[in-house]
Amino acid sequence: MKKTSTRLADGRELIYYDLRDDTVRDAVDRRPLERTHTTSEIRRDPLLGDQVAIASHRQGRTYHPPADQCPLCPTRGDRLSEIPDSSYDVVVFENRFPSLAGDSGRCEVVCFTSDHDASFASLTEEQARLVLDAWTDRTSELSHLPSVEQVFCFENRGEEIGVTLGHPHGQIYAYPFTTPRTALMLRSLAAHKEATGGENLFDTVLDRELADERIVLEGEHWVAFVPYAAHWPYEVHLYPKRRVPDLLGLDEAARSEFPKVYLELLRRFDRIFGESEPPTPYIAAWHQAPFGTLEEFDGVTRDDFALHLELFTIRRTSGKLKFLAGSESGMSVFINDVPPERAAERLREVAS
């Protein structure tokens, strides 16, 4: 992998990740952009104890542009985009309309390929490995920023999820706090560790799932399963079999196997509802240990956390979506219409 960092016309950082070491990236952003000014602010909810990002500048972000005006495609002739070069393998750049900025963290866009009509599932294993390397590199770099406590790499896919740009891409949020969902996991870790005299809850869960009927696919270094208490109609958790706290902890064997396992998982997601259905909308979310102090979680260290990816769709059956209505949105109590065992069975049925 070759990494080349440059700056866009408004001062934002852009990084090329290339498969070839001899690739030259010297194209200049020719757009007449002024420096970006954001109004991101973090406010704490005193009743729930969580944080809300207030980012009013995002109201003006790009919204469903036609394909020939996509800002994530390479620059071609007089059609100028966020990527100055005429081609790329993988690109990461600072979001022009970030939810988090400055002392409130950082937001980046990850373009998986220059092919506007592709998807992550259509990438080659070599391309998918390059994306994994980019995620890992950005996790490392962002973790050293003084305002960053947790790094979250994710992909939103499909208009049903709220995606406003059709080009295959994901995002990275670098939060200045430990996110509420991670905090819940850490509290459960601490409670289980104390109750069992030192057992790791992630290890316990993974051992139970490996012995159960909800395994979707398994490699030498990775295992994917539908969790016992799945929140979403089709939800899969992907774990490395050797517990590590973050992407930086993966060894070469796990990195090499990841593309094959993950691409197969994504392709199965696209086949859940049949070939005649539109591509399955999904969210793919990497859960990594925070880089800040864990003092509030008694007895828990970063190494107790288990890196994993959660992949889920809001489509519950053909032509029907799972909406977060009263119970889910009002009380955070999910009601799942698809038994996890049946979801796992279906994901095994649609294997390549």
Side-chain angles (χ1 to χ4, degrees), residues 206 209-228 235-241 257-258 260-266 268-269 308-311 340 343-345 347-348:
L206 190 56
E209 295 292 354
L210 283 166
D212 219 316
E213 60 181 311
R214 290 178 300 278
I215 297 293
V216 173
L217 61 90
E218 184 176 358
E220 183 178 355
H221 304 284
W222 293 86
V223 60
F225 58 88
V226 177
Y228 171 75
E235 174 182 341
V236 176
H237 293 190
L238 177 63
Y239 277 70
K241 290 184 177 179
E257 187 181 73
F258 170 78
K260 180 178 181 180
V261 173
Y262 187 49
L263 290 173
E264 171 62 17
L265 195 56
L266 291 180
R268 291 190 193 188
F269 253 60
H308 63 284
L309 181 140
E310 297 184 7
L311 173 69
E345 181 182 17
L347 286 161
R348 290 192 296 268

Short mmCIF file of all heavy atoms in Angstrom, two decimals, residues 206 209-228 235-241 257-258 260-266 268-269 308-311 340 343-345 347-348:
data_model
loop_
_atom_site.label_atom_id
_atom_site.label_comp_id
_atom_site.label_asym_id
_atom_site.label_seq_id
_atom_site.Cartn_x
_atom_site.Cartn_y
_atom_site.Cartn_z
N LEU A 206 -18.83 -15.30 22.51
CA LEU A 206 -18.33 -15.92 21.29
C LEU A 206 -18.32 -17.44 21.43
O LEU A 206 -18.69 -18.17 20.49
CB LEU A 206 -16.92 -15.40 20.97
CG LEU A 206 -16.36 -15.78 19.60
CD1 LEU A 206 -17.28 -15.33 18.48
CD2 LEU A 206 -14.98 -15.17 19.41
N GLU A 209 -21.87 -18.67 21.00
CA GLU A 209 -22.35 -18.59 19.61
C GLU A 209 -21.70 -19.65 18.74
O GLU A 209 -22.34 -20.22 17.85
CB GLU A 209 -22.09 -17.19 19.05
CG GLU A 209 -22.87 -16.07 19.72
CD GLU A 209 -24.37 -16.14 19.48
OE1 GLU A 209 -24.82 -17.00 18.69
OE2 GLU A 209 -25.10 -15.34 20.08
N LEU A 210 -20.42 -19.95 18.96
CA LEU A 210 -19.73 -20.98 18.18
C LEU A 210 -20.36 -22.35 18.37
O LEU A 210 -20.26 -23.22 17.51
CB LEU A 210 -18.25 -21.02 18.55
CG LEU A 210 -17.38 -19.91 17.96
CD1 LEU A 210 -16.02 -19.85 18.66
CD2 LEU A 210 -17.19 -20.12 16.46
N ALA A 211 -21.01 -22.54 19.51
CA ALA A 211 -21.62 -23.83 19.81
C ALA A 211 -23.10 -23.88 19.46
O ALA A 211 -23.76 -24.90 19.69
CB ALA A 211 -21.44 -24.15 21.30
N ASP A 212 -23.64 -22.80 18.90
CA ASP A 212 -25.08 -22.73 18.66
C ASP A 212 -25.41 -22.81 17.17
O ASP A 212 -24.53 -22.99 16.32
CB ASP A 212 -25.64 -21.44 19.28
CG ASP A 212 -27.00 -21.66 19.93
OD1 ASP A 212 -27.83 -22.34 19.30
OD2 ASP A 212 -27.22 -21.16 21.05
N GLU A 213 -26.68 -22.59 16.84
CA GLU A 213 -27.18 -22.80 15.48
C GLU A 213 -27.24 -21.52 14.65
O GLU A 213 -27.76 -21.53 13.54
CB GLU A 213 -28.59 -23.41 15.55
CG GLU A 213 -29.60 -22.54 16.29
CD GLU A 213 -30.98 -23.16 16.38
OE1 GLU A 213 -31.47 -23.61 15.33
OE2 GLU A 213 -31.54 -23.19 17.49
N ARG A 214 -26.72 -20.43 15.18
CA ARG A 214 -26.85 -19.16 14.48
C ARG A 214 -25.58 -18.74 13.73
O ARG A 214 -25.46 -17.61 13.28
CB ARG A 214 -27.26 -18.06 15.47
CG ARG A 214 -28.69 -18.22 15.99
CD ARG A 214 -29.05 -17.15 17.00
NE ARG A 214 -28.15 -17.21 18.15
CZ ARG A 214 -28.31 -18.05 19.17
NH1 ARG A 214 -29.34 -18.88 19.20
NH2 ARG A 214 -27.45 -18.06 20.17
N ILE A 215 -24.63 -19.66 13.57
CA ILE A 215 -23.43 -19.37 12.77
C ILE A 215 -23.84 -19.21 11.31
O ILE A 215 -24.58 -20.04 10.75
CB ILE A 215 -22.39 -20.50 12.89
CG1 ILE A 215 -21.90 -20.62 14.35
CG2 ILE A 215 -21.21 -20.26 11.95
CD1 ILE A 215 -21.10 -19.42 14.83
N VAL A 216 -23.36 -18.15 10.68
CA VAL A 216 -23.65 -17.90 9.26
C VAL A 216 -22.51 -18.40 8.40
O VAL A 216 -22.72 -19.10 7.40
CB VAL A 216 -23.90 -16.39 9.03
CG1 VAL A 216 -24.04 -16.10 7.53
CG2 VAL A 216 -25.14 -15.93 9.78
N LEU A 217 -21.30 -18.04 8.73
CA LEU A 217 -20.12 -18.58 8.04
C LEU A 217 -18.93 -18.47 8.97
O LEU A 217 -18.90 -17.65 9.88
CB LEU A 217 -19.87 -17.86 6.71
CG LEU A 217 -19.59 -16.36 6.69
CD1 LEU A 217 -18.09 -16.10 6.80
CD2 LEU A 217 -20.10 -15.76 5.38
N GLU A 218 -17.94 -19.32 8.71
CA GLU A 218 -16.78 -19.40 9.60
C GLU A 218 -15.52 -19.68 8.80
O GLU A 218 -15.51 -20.53 7.91
CB GLU A 218 -17.01 -20.50 10.64
CG GLU A 218 -15.90 -20.61 11.67
CD GLU A 218 -16.22 -21.66 12.74
OE1 GLU A 218 -17.32 -22.28 12.68
OE2 GLU A 218 -15.36 -21.88 13.62
N GLY A 219 -14.47 -18.93 9.08
CA GLY A 219 -13.17 -19.17 8.49
C GLY A 219 -12.20 -19.62 9.57
O GLY A 219 -12.59 -19.92 10.70
N GLU A 220 -10.94 -19.63 9.23
CA GLU A 220 -9.93 -20.03 10.21
C GLU A 220 -9.74 -18.94 11.27
O GLU A 220 -9.48 -19.23 12.44
CB GLU A 220 -8.60 -20.29 9.50
CG GLU A 220 -7.49 -20.78 10.43
CD GLU A 220 -6.20 -21.08 9.70
OE1 GLU A 220 -6.18 -21.00 8.45
OE2 GLU A 220 -5.19 -21.37 10.38
N HIS A 221 -9.92 -17.68 10.86
CA HIS A 221 -9.63 -16.56 11.77
C HIS A 221 -10.84 -15.67 12.07
O HIS A 221 -10.74 -14.80 12.93
CB HIS A 221 -8.51 -15.70 11.17
CG HIS A 221 -7.27 -16.46 10.87
ND1 HIS A 221 -6.39 -16.87 11.84
CD2 HIS A 221 -6.77 -16.94 9.68
CE1 HIS A 221 -5.39 -17.53 11.28
NE2 HIS A 221 -5.61 -17.60 9.98
N TRP A 222 -11.96 -15.86 11.36
CA TRP A 222 -13.14 -15.03 11.56
C TRP A 222 -14.39 -15.91 11.67
O TRP A 222 -14.45 -17.00 11.08
CB TRP A 222 -13.35 -14.08 10.38
CG TRP A 222 -12.29 -13.03 10.24
CD1 TRP A 222 -11.09 -13.16 9.58
CD2 TRP A 222 -12.31 -11.70 10.77
NE1 TRP A 222 -10.38 -11.98 9.67
CE2 TRP A 222 -11.10 -11.07 10.38
CE3 TRP A 222 -13.24 -10.97 11.52
CZ2 TRP A 222 -10.79 -9.76 10.73
CZ3 TRP A 222 -12.95 -9.66 11.86
CH2 TRP A 222 -11.73 -9.07 11.48
N VAL A 223 -15.38 -15.42 12.41
CA VAL A 223 -16.66 -16.11 12.48
C VAL A 223 -17.78 -15.07 12.43
O VAL A 223 -17.68 -14.00 13.05
CB VAL A 223 -16.78 -16.98 13.75
CG1 VAL A 223 -16.65 -16.14 15.02
CG2 VAL A 223 -18.09 -17.76 13.75
N ALA A 224 -18.84 -15.38 11.67
CA ALA A 224 -19.99 -14.50 11.54
C ALA A 224 -21.22 -15.23 12.04
O ALA A 224 -21.46 -16.38 11.66
CB ALA A 224 -20.18 -14.06 10.08
N PHE A 225 -22.02 -14.56 12.87
CA PHE A 225 -23.20 -15.19 13.43
C PHE A 225 -24.31 -14.16 13.64
O PHE A 225 -24.05 -12.96 13.75
CB PHE A 225 -22.87 -15.87 14.77
CG PHE A 225 -22.30 -14.93 15.81
CD1 PHE A 225 -23.11 -14.21 16.66
CD2 PHE A 225 -20.92 -14.78 15.94
CE1 PHE A 225 -22.59 -13.35 17.61
CE2 PHE A 225 -20.37 -13.93 16.88
CZ PHE A 225 -21.21 -13.19 17.72
N VAL A 226 -25.55 -14.65 13.68
CA VAL A 226 -26.68 -13.82 14.09
C VAL A 226 -26.76 -13.91 15.60
O VAL A 226 -26.87 -15.01 16.14
CB VAL A 226 -27.99 -14.31 13.45
CG1 VAL A 226 -29.17 -13.46 13.94
CG2 VAL A 226 -27.90 -14.25 11.92
N PRO A 227 -26.69 -12.80 16.32
CA PRO A 227 -26.67 -12.87 17.78
C PRO A 227 -27.98 -13.37 18.37
O PRO A 227 -29.05 -13.22 17.77
CB PRO A 227 -26.38 -11.42 18.21
CG PRO A 227 -26.83 -10.59 17.06
CD PRO A 227 -26.58 -11.41 15.83
N TYR A 228 -27.88 -13.95 19.54
CA TYR A 228 -29.03 -14.53 20.25
C TYR A 228 -30.17 -13.53 20.40
O TYR A 228 -31.34 -13.88 20.21
CB TYR A 228 -28.56 -15.03 21.62
CG TYR A 228 -29.65 -15.47 22.55
CD1 TYR A 228 -30.31 -16.69 22.37
CD2 TYR A 228 -30.01 -14.68 23.65
CE1 TYR A 228 -31.31 -17.10 23.23
CE2 TYR A 228 -31.01 -15.08 24.52
CZ TYR A 228 -31.66 -16.29 24.30
OH TYR A 228 -32.65 -16.69 25.18
N GLU A 235 -29.35 -9.40 11.07
CA GLU A 235 -28.23 -8.76 11.77
C GLU A 235 -27.14 -9.81 11.98
O GLU A 235 -27.40 -10.89 12.50
CB GLU A 235 -28.69 -8.21 13.11
CG GLU A 235 -27.57 -7.66 13.99
CD GLU A 235 -28.09 -7.16 15.33
OE1 GLU A 235 -29.31 -6.92 15.47
OE2 GLU A 235 -27.27 -7.03 16.26
N VAL A 236 -25.93 -9.48 11.55
CA VAL A 236 -24.80 -10.41 11.67
C VAL A 236 -23.65 -9.71 12.37
O VAL A 236 -23.33 -8.56 12.06
CB VAL A 236 -24.34 -10.92 10.29
CG1 VAL A 236 -23.10 -11.80 10.43
CG2 VAL A 236 -25.46 -11.70 9.60
N HIS A 237 -23.03 -10.40 13.30
CA HIS A 237 -21.83 -9.91 13.97
C HIS A 237 -20.63 -10.71 13.48
O HIS A 237 -20.68 -11.95 13.45
CB HIS A 237 -21.96 -10.03 15.49
CG HIS A 237 -23.00 -9.12 16.07
ND1 HIS A 237 -23.14 -8.92 17.43
CD2 HIS A 237 -23.97 -8.35 15.48
CE1 HIS A 237 -24.13 -8.07 17.65
NE2 HIS A 237 -24.65 -7.72 16.48
N LEU A 238 -19.59 -9.99 13.09
CA LEU A 238 -18.38 -10.62 12.55
C LEU A 238 -17.23 -10.37 13.52
O LEU A 238 -16.87 -9.21 13.78
CB LEU A 238 -18.06 -10.04 11.17
CG LEU A 238 -16.79 -10.53 10.48
CD1 LEU A 238 -16.87 -12.03 10.19
CD2 LEU A 238 -16.55 -9.75 9.19
N TYR A 239 -16.67 -11.44 14.06
CA TYR A 239 -15.60 -11.35 15.06
C TYR A 239 -14.33 -12.04 14.58
O TYR A 239 -14.41 -13.13 13.99
CB TYR A 239 -16.01 -12.06 16.35
CG TYR A 239 -16.86 -11.28 17.31
CD1 TYR A 239 -18.19 -10.98 17.01
CD2 TYR A 239 -16.35 -10.86 18.54
CE1 TYR A 239 -18.98 -10.28 17.91
CE2 TYR A 239 -17.14 -10.16 19.45
CZ TYR A 239 -18.45 -9.88 19.13
OH TYR A 239 -19.23 -9.19 20.02
N PRO A 240 -13.16 -11.46 14.86
CA PRO A 240 -11.94 -12.26 14.74
C PRO A 240 -11.92 -13.26 15.89
O PRO A 240 -12.36 -12.95 17.01
CB PRO A 240 -10.81 -11.22 14.87
CG PRO A 240 -11.42 -10.11 15.66
CD PRO A 240 -12.88 -10.08 15.30
N LYS A 241 -11.46 -14.46 15.64
CA LYS A 241 -11.47 -15.49 16.70
C LYS A 241 -10.46 -15.19 17.81
O LYS A 241 -10.63 -15.63 18.94
CB LYS A 241 -11.20 -16.86 16.09
CG LYS A 241 -12.33 -17.37 15.22
CD LYS A 241 -12.05 -18.78 14.72
CE LYS A 241 -13.22 -19.32 13.91
NZ LYS A 241 -12.95 -20.69 13.38
N GLU A 257 -7.41 -13.01 5.59
CA GLU A 257 -8.66 -13.76 5.43
C GLU A 257 -9.89 -12.86 5.40
O GLU A 257 -10.92 -13.22 4.82
CB GLU A 257 -8.80 -14.77 6.57
CG GLU A 257 -9.99 -15.71 6.40
CD GLU A 257 -10.14 -16.68 7.54
OE1 GLU A 257 -10.55 -16.24 8.65
OE2 GLU A 257 -9.84 -17.87 7.35
N PHE A 258 -9.79 -11.69 6.00
CA PHE A 258 -10.97 -10.81 6.13
C PHE A 258 -11.68 -10.54 4.80
O PHE A 258 -12.92 -10.66 4.74
CB PHE A 258 -10.57 -9.48 6.78
CG PHE A 258 -11.67 -8.46 6.74
CD1 PHE A 258 -12.73 -8.52 7.62
CD2 PHE A 258 -11.65 -7.43 5.80
CE1 PHE A 258 -13.76 -7.58 7.58
CE2 PHE A 258 -12.67 -6.49 5.74
CZ PHE A 258 -13.72 -6.57 6.63
N LYS A 260 -12.12 -12.17 2.00
CA LYS A 260 -12.91 -13.29 1.51
C LYS A 260 -14.17 -13.48 2.35
O LYS A 260 -15.28 -13.65 1.81
CB LYS A 260 -12.07 -14.57 1.53
CG LYS A 260 -12.80 -15.81 1.04
CD LYS A 260 -11.90 -17.04 1.05
CE LYS A 260 -12.63 -18.26 0.53
NZ LYS A 260 -11.75 -19.47 0.54
N VAL A 261 -14.03 -13.43 3.66
CA VAL A 261 -15.17 -13.65 4.55
C VAL A 261 -16.17 -12.51 4.45
O VAL A 261 -17.38 -12.72 4.31
CB VAL A 261 -14.68 -13.80 6.01
CG1 VAL A 261 -15.86 -13.86 6.97
CG2 VAL A 261 -13.81 -15.05 6.16
N TYR A 262 -15.67 -11.28 4.47
CA TYR A 262 -16.58 -10.12 4.48
C TYR A 262 -17.31 -9.95 3.15
O TYR A 262 -18.51 -9.66 3.12
CB TYR A 262 -15.79 -8.86 4.82
CG TYR A 262 -16.67 -7.64 5.03
CD1 TYR A 262 -17.78 -7.68 5.86
CD2 TYR A 262 -16.37 -6.44 4.39
CE1 TYR A 262 -18.58 -6.57 6.05
CE2 TYR A 262 -17.16 -5.31 4.58
CZ TYR A 262 -18.26 -5.39 5.41
OH TYR A 262 -19.05 -4.27 5.59
N LEU A 263 -16.60 -10.15 2.05
CA LEU A 263 -17.26 -10.03 0.74
C LEU A 263 -18.34 -11.08 0.57
O LEU A 263 -19.42 -10.80 0.04
CB LEU A 263 -16.21 -10.15 -0.37
CG LEU A 263 -15.26 -8.96 -0.50
CD1 LEU A 263 -14.16 -9.27 -1.52
CD2 LEU A 263 -16.00 -7.69 -0.90
N GLU A 264 -18.09 -12.29 1.04
CA GLU A 264 -19.12 -13.34 0.97
C GLU A 264 -20.33 -12.95 1.82
O GLU A 264 -21.49 -13.15 1.41
CB GLU A 264 -18.55 -14.67 1.45
CG GLU A 264 -19.57 -15.79 1.64
CD GLU A 264 -20.31 -16.19 0.36
OE1 GLU A 264 -19.85 -15.84 -0.75
OE2 GLU A 264 -21.37 -16.83 0.48
N LEU A 265 -20.09 -12.37 2.98
CA LEU A 265 -21.19 -11.95 3.85
C LEU A 265 -22.03 -10.87 3.18
O LEU A 265 -23.27 -10.94 3.18
CB LEU A 265 -20.60 -11.42 5.15
CG LEU A 265 -21.54 -11.25 6.34
CD1 LEU A 265 -22.27 -12.53 6.67
CD2 LEU A 265 -20.76 -10.73 7.54
N LEU A 266 -21.39 -9.88 2.57
CA LEU A 266 -22.13 -8.82 1.89
C LEU A 266 -22.93 -9.36 0.70
O LEU A 266 -24.06 -8.92 0.44
CB LEU A 266 -21.18 -7.73 1.42
CG LEU A 266 -20.51 -6.87 2.51
CD1 LEU A 266 -19.58 -5.85 1.88
CD2 LEU A 266 -21.54 -6.19 3.39
N ARG A 268 -24.15 -12.33 0.37
CA ARG A 268 -25.32 -13.04 0.89
C ARG A 268 -26.42 -12.05 1.28
O ARG A 268 -27.61 -12.33 1.06
CB ARG A 268 -24.93 -13.90 2.09
CG ARG A 268 -24.05 -15.08 1.75
CD ARG A 268 -23.91 -16.02 2.92
NE ARG A 268 -22.84 -16.99 2.71
CZ ARG A 268 -22.59 -18.02 3.50
NH1 ARG A 268 -23.33 -18.20 4.60
NH2 ARG A 268 -21.61 -18.85 3.25
N PHE A 269 -26.04 -10.93 1.85
CA PHE A 269 -27.03 -9.92 2.21
C PHE A 269 -27.81 -9.47 0.98
O PHE A 269 -29.03 -9.24 1.05
CB PHE A 269 -26.35 -8.72 2.88
CG PHE A 269 -26.60 -8.65 4.37
CD1 PHE A 269 -26.19 -9.70 5.18
CD2 PHE A 269 -27.24 -7.58 4.94
CE1 PHE A 269 -26.40 -9.66 6.55
CE2 PHE A 269 -27.47 -7.53 6.31
CZ PHE A 269 -27.05 -8.57 7.12
N HIS A 308 -15.17 -5.94 16.71
CA HIS A 308 -16.11 -6.70 15.89
C HIS A 308 -16.87 -5.77 14.98
O HIS A 308 -16.93 -4.56 15.20
CB HIS A 308 -17.08 -7.52 16.75
CG HIS A 308 -17.97 -6.71 17.64
ND1 HIS A 308 -17.54 -6.11 18.80
CD2 HIS A 308 -19.30 -6.40 17.54
CE1 HIS A 308 -18.53 -5.48 19.39
NE2 HIS A 308 -19.61 -5.63 18.63
N LEU A 309 -17.45 -6.34 13.94
CA LEU A 309 -18.26 -5.59 12.99
C LEU A 309 -19.70 -6.06 13.11
O LEU A 309 -19.97 -7.26 13.17
CB LEU A 309 -17.75 -5.79 11.56
CG LEU A 309 -18.49 -5.03 10.46
CD1 LEU A 309 -17.52 -4.49 9.43
CD2 LEU A 309 -19.52 -5.93 9.76
N GLU A 310 -20.62 -5.09 13.15
CA GLU A 310 -22.04 -5.42 13.17
C GLU A 310 -22.65 -4.97 11.84
O GLU A 310 -22.54 -3.80 11.46
CB GLU A 310 -22.74 -4.74 14.35
CG GLU A 310 -22.21 -5.23 15.69
CD GLU A 310 -22.95 -4.65 16.88
OE1 GLU A 310 -23.97 -3.97 16.67
OE2 GLU A 310 -22.49 -4.88 18.03
N LEU A 311 -23.27 -5.91 11.14
CA LEU A 311 -23.88 -5.67 9.84
C LEU A 311 -25.37 -5.96 9.95
O LEU A 311 -25.77 -7.04 10.39
CB LEU A 311 -23.24 -6.60 8.80
CG LEU A 311 -23.84 -6.62 7.39
CD1 LEU A 311 -23.60 -5.31 6.67
CD2 LEU A 311 -23.26 -7.79 6.60
N PRO A 340 -33.93 -14.84 15.23
CA PRO A 340 -32.52 -14.91 14.85
C PRO A 340 -32.12 -16.25 14.23
O PRO A 340 -31.29 -16.28 13.31
CB PRO A 340 -31.80 -14.66 16.18
CG PRO A 340 -32.75 -13.80 16.96
CD PRO A 340 -34.11 -14.33 16.60
N ALA A 343 -33.18 -16.16 10.66
CA ALA A 343 -32.32 -15.25 9.90
C ALA A 343 -31.00 -15.92 9.55
O ALA A 343 -30.52 -15.83 8.41
CB ALA A 343 -32.07 -13.97 10.70
N ALA A 344 -30.42 -16.63 10.53
CA ALA A 344 -29.16 -17.33 10.27
C ALA A 344 -29.35 -18.44 9.24
O ALA A 344 -28.50 -18.62 8.34
CB ALA A 344 -28.62 -17.92 11.58
N GLU A 345 -30.46 -19.14 9.33
CA GLU A 345 -30.75 -20.20 8.36
C GLU A 345 -30.85 -19.63 6.94
O GLU A 345 -30.30 -20.20 6.00
CB GLU A 345 -32.06 -20.89 8.74
CG GLU A 345 -32.45 -22.04 7.83
CD GLU A 345 -33.79 -22.66 8.22
OE1 GLU A 345 -34.54 -22.03 8.98
OE2 GLU A 345 -34.08 -23.77 7.73
N LEU A 347 -29.49 -16.88 5.80
CA LEU A 347 -28.16 -16.42 5.34
C LEU A 347 -27.25 -17.58 4.97
O LEU A 347 -26.34 -17.42 4.18
CB LEU A 347 -27.51 -15.54 6.41
CG LEU A 347 -28.13 -14.13 6.51
CD1 LEU A 347 -27.79 -13.48 7.83
CD2 LEU A 347 -27.61 -13.27 5.34
N ARG A 348 -27.51 -18.75 5.52
CA ARG A 348 -26.77 -19.94 5.08
C ARG A 348 -27.32 -20.47 3.75
O ARG A 348 -26.57 -20.95 2.90
CB ARG A 348 -26.84 -21.04 6.15
CG ARG A 348 -26.04 -20.74 7.41
CD ARG A 348 -25.92 -21.98 8.29
NE ARG A 348 -27.19 -22.45 8.79
CZ ARG A 348 -27.73 -22.09 9.96
NH1 ARG A 348 -27.10 -21.22 10.73
NH2 ARG A 348 -28.91 -22.58 10.34
#
